[in-house]
Amino acid sequence: MPETELKQQLVERFREVNGNHPMTDADDVYVSAQFVALEELCAVHGRDADAVRQLMLGQRLPLPGYLRSDSAEMVPADLFALADEAGGVELLEAWFTAHWADPITGKAEWNSYLSGQYVCLHSVTPATIQRKDCLTTAISAAANEPDAGSAQWSERLHALVDELDTLEPAFTAYDRLRFGGPTSRDTCIDAMRTRFPRP
């Protein structure tokens, strides 16, 4: 199968998952700073880009995080790290899902991982996914805690927000289009710091 056909299939699959939203110049700059083109990453790691595209289409590796305006498939620099840690692509799903006690949750997280939409983390691992979930849940519930507004509460809240800040990148306007609204950085970091400034 020619590379152009495989690449076109991957583009179509990406748009099925993310919708067909335009990338602005600012989006392209952001993505180029945060991610690497699939062709470049494969060259560095001595991998065949077509073979990697087939793994993505076969739901063995995650889809690209973004398609740049020039159609480059943009992926995280550590795209292959989890498969390497698991002992190979064929072992990745079982290794990944085993990090959740509930198999249904593990499978749901695996499907989310395969979507390529975990662009909300600098490094996508089961541990960072779980920590992000824990932090966003705690931050979202903070305003309803019995001691909300106290100095001790504020200290706890800002510690959670600061930790989430280290896990998450800035996001870009394209993300707000494909996710249909504000990102977790918007709601759990920026909005919380504005609503509850440090004393």
Side-chain angles (χ1 to χ4, degrees), residues 7 10-11 14-15 23 28 31-32 35-40 53 64-75:
K7 183 163 183 171
L10 193 58
V11 167
F14 179 91
R15 292 198 170 125
M23 288 281 283
D28 283 342
V31 169
S32 296
F35 292 79
V36 61
L38 177 61
E39 298 273 0
E40 294 171 20
R53 289 184 182 107
Y66 299 88
L67 285 180
R68 212 167 49 192
S69 290
D70 62 1
S71 82
E73 305 119 311
M74 303 302 289
V75 296

Side-chain angles (χ1 to χ4, degrees), residues 132 135-136 139 160-168 188-189:
K132 184 209 166 194
L135 289 168
T136 54
I139 291 166
L160 296 171
V161 170
D162 291 348
E163 184 181 350
L164 185 61
D165 193 7
T166 67
L167 294 180
E168 292 200 340
C188 291
I189 298 174

Side-chain angles (χ1 to χ4, degrees), residues 45 60 65 140 146 153:
H45 287 271
R60 310 291 292 282
S140 299
W153 172 88

Side-chain angles (χ1 to χ4, degrees), residues 23-24 26-28 30-31 66 170-177 183:
M23 288 281 283
T24 66
D27 292 333
D28 283 342
Y30 169 83
V31 169
Y66 299 88
F171 293 97
T172 189
Y174 171 84
D175 292 315
R176 295 170 182 92
L177 293 177
T183 65

Side-chain angles (χ1 to χ4, degrees), residues 119-163:
V119 295
C120 53
L121 291 165
H122 287 297
S123 178
V124 182
T125 68
T128 57
I129 291 168
Q130 290 168 342
R131 189 59 186 154
K132 184 209 166 194
D133 286 347
C134 179
L135 289 168
T136 54
T137 299
I139 291 166
S140 299
N144 297 319
E145 290 176 4
D147 62 341
S150 71
Q152 193 173 25
W153 172 88
S154 180
E155 191 175 324
R156 282 199 317 272
L157 172 65
H158 283 284
L160 296 171
V161 170
D162 291 348
E163 184 181 350

Side-chain angles (χ1 to χ4, degrees), residues 14-27:
F14 179 91
R15 292 198 170 125
E16 281 173 20
V17 171
N18 294 284
N20 193 9
H21 306 292
M23 288 281 283
T24 66
D25 290 345
D27 292 333

Side-chain angles (χ1 to χ4, degrees), residues 48 51 78 80 103 110 113 121 152-153 156 161-162 170 190 195:
D48 178 68
D78 63 355
F80 306 121
W110 171 249
Y113 171 67
L121 291 165
Q152 193 173 25
W153 172 88
R156 282 199 317 272
V161 170
D162 291 348
D190 298 340
R195 185 178 170 195

